[in-house]
Amino acid sequence: MAAVAALLLAANTAQALEDAPAVGYRPDPSTIEGGLWMAGDKAEQAVKTSPQLVHDAALNAYVRSVVCKLAGDQCASIRVYIVEVPRFNAYMMPNGAMVVWTGLLLRVQNEAQLAFILGHELTHYLHRHALDSMRRAETTSSLLTLFSVAAAGAGVGIVGSVANLAAAGMLFAHTRDQERDADSGGFDLATANNYDPRQAASIWQFVMDESHANPHAEGRDFFTANHPTDAERLATLTQKADGMAAQSWVTNEAAFHSQTKPFLDRWLEDEFNRGEPEESVAMLERLVAANPPSGPLSYYLGEAYRRRNAAGDIDRASNAYKAAIATSDRPAAAYRGLGLLAMKGGDKQSACDSFTQYLATAPEADDRAMIQYYLTQLQG
Amino acid sequence: MRRFAIPTLMSFLLLAGCVSVTGIDAAKPVMVGDGITVNPQVAWASVSLPNVSDVFWTIDGIGLDELHFYTGIAPGQPLMKIPGKTAAEIGTYAATMLPNDVMDLLASSLEKENYQTVHSSGLTPVTIGSHAAFRFNLTFSTPSGLEMQGTALAIQQNGKLDVILFLAPREYYFAHCQPIVDKIFASVQIA
C-alpha cells in the first residue's frame, strides 16, 4: 500500500511528459511511470519464460530488424518477443517490451503490413500512451483499480494462455483516441521507410472479413478490442494513403515469405486446432489467392473446408487438396485428406489410391498403422 | 506419493465444500459409462467438480494426473461441456466421423477449454474384444504455461463415441503414470 500511496502522490504532482522517452531512459521507480514500468517488467519476465516463446534466431532477428528500421535510435530501447498463439494480436508494454503473436505473422501478407502494425505499437511507446492513460484516471479508486489489476496480472504467469496473454495486453490498454494516434503514427513511421501506404488499410479489410465469417465470434479480437472500429480505420487509412504522393513504395513480400515459410506448417496446424474453421477458411482463401501456389496453404485450406463441412465444402476441400498436390512443396497429408474424403463419400477405389499414395510419399508417417487399417477395411 | 496426496486432496476439496470425491478400489472393475468397464489397476480418487460435466479420476491430484471419461457421446453432442460455450462453439460429434475427425475434434475441444498449442499425433488402431478402437497422443500447455502430454483411447459403437483421455504434466507425471494408463486402456471391456 505504501508503494501505491507513493505512486498516487507522484500522479498528482508529476509534470506532463510530451516527448518520447530518451534512448536508455528508465523512470524513477517512485513515480507513477516507474510503477507502470515495474508492472511491464513483471509481465515481460513472464513472456521471457513462457513455453510459447519462439526462440528461432533468424525469425526474431527479422522481426526485430523491421522494428529497428521504424524505430531508428529508439531500437536500443525496444525488446521484441514472438509468442506462439494462433490469433491476430500484438501489444506494447510501457517499458519497451513488444509482444507479437504468431497468428499475426500468419495473417499479414508482406513486410509492409507487418511494419504498419509494429509502427502502431511503437507509437504507443514513443507517445507514452500508457502513462497518459494512467494520468487520466480521475479518481483514487480508479487508479487503485488499475494498479491492483496490474499487480494481479503481473503475478500470474501472464504469457501462459490466450486469456492471460490478452490480460497482459489489457493491462496496458489504450483509449480509442490513443489508438487513432497510434494508427497515424504507425502509418507515418512505415511510409517514412518507404512501405506501401495502401497496405495499412488492407489489414483492417481482412480483419473484418475474418470476424464476419465466424457466426460464433464473441466480439472483436484482442488487438482491436479497444480500437476504433475496423471500418473507421479502413476509411481513415485509405484516405491517408490517397493523400500520399506517388513513389516507388515497397512491400518486401519475398523477404517476408522467405523468413516465415519455415514456420508455416506449425502455425497453420495451430490455426487449424483453434477449431474456428469459418475464420480459418476466410483467412486461407485470402492467403491462397494472394500468394504464389503453396502446398501447405492449400492443404490447410482443404482441412478447414473439411472441418467446416458446409454445403459444397467436400468439393472445395477436394479441390484444395488437389491444388496442394500440384505444387512443388506438396504435403503428403494432402493425399491423406483426399483419401478421407473419398472414404466418407463411399468411393473406395479413390480412397485406396490416395491412401496408397500417402504411404508411398510419407513412409514414416506416424499414422501409418491407421491408414493401413483404413486400406484393409476398404479392400475387405 | 499417492498415500499422502489423496488425503491432502480430499482435505482441500472438503474445505472447498463444492466437490464430490470418492475412492476407486484398485482391484474392482468399474463401469465408466455406455457399457464400458475398466480395471483401475491402482487406487484412484474419482472427482466431480462443479460446472464440469465429466467425472475424472486422479492419483496424485488435480492437474497432476487426470483420467477423463467422455462416454456415450451421441451425434450432435460435444465431447465435453465447457461453461459459457455452446455445443456448436465447442464442436460436436457426428456418427460419420472417421478416427482422424475424432482426433481433430478432441484437439479443438481442448483448445476451447483454454489449453494452448494442442498438437495431436500417433493415430493408431487398436482392438478391444470384437470392437475397433483407436489411440492417439497429444501435447499442449495449460493456461498457466505448464507443458502437458495426453493419450486417448476412442471407441465408436452404435453411432456413439466413447473417449478415455489421460492428461498429465510432461515432466515426471506423464511417464510415471503411462504404464498404468496403458494397462487400463488394455483392460477396457464393452458390454
Side-chain angles (χ1 to χ4, degrees):
Chain A
M1 278 313 283
V4 171
L7 289 165
L8 289 172
L9 181 63
N12 290 333
T13 58
Q15 299 295 310
L17 290 169
E18 300 295 337
D19 300 330
V23 175
Y25 173 75
R26 183 86 205 171
D28 182 336
S30 67
T31 63
I32 191 165
E33 189 175 28
L36 266 177
W37 280 52
M38 196 164 62
D41 291 345
K42 287 185 178 176
E44 183 179 356
Q45 188 57 35
V47 172
K48 276 184 186 174
T49 56
S50 166
Q52 287 160 272
L53 186 66
V54 176
H55 294 278
D56 184 85
L59 183 67
N60 276 281
Y62 172 67
V63 174
R64 180 166 180 77
S65 74
V66 179
V67 170
C68 287
K69 200 183 291 185
L70 302 170
D73 291 346
Q74 289 283 358
C75 173
S77 303
I78 308 297
R79 283 89 57 214
V80 182
Y81 302 96
I82 303 168
V83 290
E84 187 180 351
V85 182
R87 302 199 186 189
F88 182 82
N89 196 21
Y91 59 87
M92 189 84 207
M93 300 184 195
N95 64 344
M98 181 189 288
V99 179
V100 179
W101 289 6
T102 52
L104 186 151
L105 296 174
L106 177 63
R107 281 165 172 76
V108 296
Q109 286 170 231
N110 54 51
E111 188 177 297
Q113 291 183 357
L114 177 63
F116 282 107
I117 294 167
L118 300 180
H120 171 108
E121 297 305 328
L122 271 174
T123 303
H124 283 313
Y125 174 77
L126 297 174
H127 292 190
R128 288 173 151 155
H129 282 162
L131 178 60
D132 187 44
S133 290
M134 193 63 86
R135 286 193 172 137
R136 284 171 192 270
E138 291 178 356
T139 65
T140 301
S141 61
S142 60
L143 199 55
L144 278 169
T145 302
L146 274 171
F147 270 100
S148 63
V149 169
V156 292
I158 275 170
V159 79
S161 70
V162 169
N164 286 342
L165 281 162
M170 293 305 287
L171 285 183
F172 312 114
H174 306 293
T175 66
R176 288 199 174 186
D177 281 342
Q178 288 173 337
E179 297 298 347
R180 291 186 182 97
D181 183 50
D183 273 356
S184 178
F187 186 93
D188 293 343
L189 285 173
T191 51
N193 283 278
N194 212 31
Y195 286 113
D196 178 4
R198 300 208 170 275
Q199 298 301 318
S202 62
I203 296 165
W204 308 116
Q205 183 64 59
F206 73 64
V207 168
M208 280 198 298
D209 291 345
E210 271 189 51
S211 177
H212 293 164
N214 186 356
H216 311 303
E218 291 172 357
R220 308 179 70 199
D221 57 72
F222 297 120
F223 185 71
T224 58
N226 292 314
H227 291 204
T229 64
D230 301 330
E232 179 194 323
R233 313 180 88 156
L234 183 63
T236 304
L237 292 169
T238 301
Q239 194 175 23
K240 277 179 80 80
D242 288 344
M244 300 294 290
Q247 66 179 75
S248 53
W249 303 106
V250 300
T251 59
N252 289 354
E253 190 162 338
F256 177 80
H257 287 302
S258 149
Q259 293 294 334
T260 54
K261 189 175 179 182
F263 308 95
L264 208 52
D265 263 328
R266 172 115 187 158
W267 295 348
L268 285 166
E269 189 186 348
D270 287 345
E271 168 66 25
F272 180 69
N273 283 337
R274 213 159 57 83
E276 300 288 359
E278 293 90 355
E279 288 182 25
S280 297
V281 164
M283 180 196 74
L284 286 161
E285 283 180 341
R286 174 177 61 82
L287 293 180
V288 165
N291 288 290
S294 157
L297 285 177
S298 292
Y299 165 68
Y300 277 103
L301 177 58
E303 288 287 272
Y305 284 135
R306 186 171 65 81
R307 172 76 66 86
R308 186 175 70 171
N309 200 26
D313 274 351
I314 299 300
D315 289 340
R316 292 189 193 98
S318 177
N319 290 336
Y321 291 137
K322 286 172 184 168
I325 288 166
T327 63
S328 58
D329 57 346
R330 67 181 66 87
Y335 290 110
R336 182 183 61 201
L338 280 177
L340 293 171
L341 289 181
M343 190 172 175
K344 276 185 168 179
D347 185 349
K348 291 185 177 183
Q349 188 56 53
S350 293
C352 284
D353 291 348
S354 294
F355 286 143
T356 302
Q357 192 68 43
Y358 171 62
L359 294 180
T361 311
E364 305 299 322
D366 73 359
D367 59 352
R368 184 177 185 87
M370 192 79 232
I371 300 301
Q372 284 176 325
Y373 172 79
Y374 288 152
L375 282 168
T376 304
Q377 279 200 317
L378 289 163
Q379 291 159 350
Chain B
M1 179 176 284
R2 185 173 74 245
R3 195 158 42 111
F4 300 104
I6 288 180
T8 304
L9 171 69
M10 297 277 280
S11 303
F12 169 77
L13 295 170
L14 286 172
L15 281 172
C18 52
V19 294
S20 96
V21 181
T22 53
I24 300 289
D25 191 324
K28 292 182 182 171
V30 178
M31 177 80 82
V32 294
D34 203 28
I36 293 178
T37 302
V38 299
N39 184 337
Q41 310 296 324
V42 298
W44 295 76
S46 174
V47 181
S48 173
L49 296 174
N51 300 321
V52 177
S53 58
D54 71 307
V55 172
F56 64 90
W57 297 0
T58 181
I59 300 171
D60 290 316
I62 298 169
L64 298 179
D65 46 47
E66 296 181 6
L67 188 64
H68 293 256
F69 302 95
Y70 308 106
T71 55
I73 307 297
Q77 290 182 338
L79 264 176
M80 55 192 77
K81 287 180 182 167
I82 302 173
K85 292 200 183 297
T86 65
E89 287 169 335
I90 300 165
T92 57
Y93 175 64
T96 54
M97 281 183 163
L98 294 171
N100 290 71
D101 302 316
V102 171
M103 182 171 72
D104 292 342
L105 177 65
L106 180 56
S108 67
S109 299
L110 290 173
E111 287 259 358
K112 296 293 171 63
E113 231 187 353
N114 243 352
Y115 290 115
Q116 308 299 303
T117 52
V118 182
H119 292 270
S120 53
S121 63
L123 185 62
T124 307
V126 293
T127 303
I128 297 173
S130 60
H131 293 270
F134 48 99
R135 285 189 63 170
F136 53 93
N137 303 315
L138 298 148
T139 61
F140 53 94
S141 302
T142 65
S144 57
L146 183 65
E147 292 184 70
M148 303 283 288
Q149 272 185 261
T151 187
L153 172 72
I155 304 151
Q156 289 173 286
Q157 53 163 335
N158 304 321
K160 291 185 177 180
L161 172 67
D162 306 297
V163 175
I164 306 176
L165 171 66
F166 177 71
L167 311 173
R170 177 179 294 177
E171 192 165 342
Y172 178 73
Y173 286 97
F174 185 83
H176 176 68
C177 294
Q178 190 171 17
I180 298 167
V181 173
D182 286 344
K183 285 181 184 172
I184 290 175
F185 283 3
S187 78
V188 167
Q189 292 190 341
I190 302 170

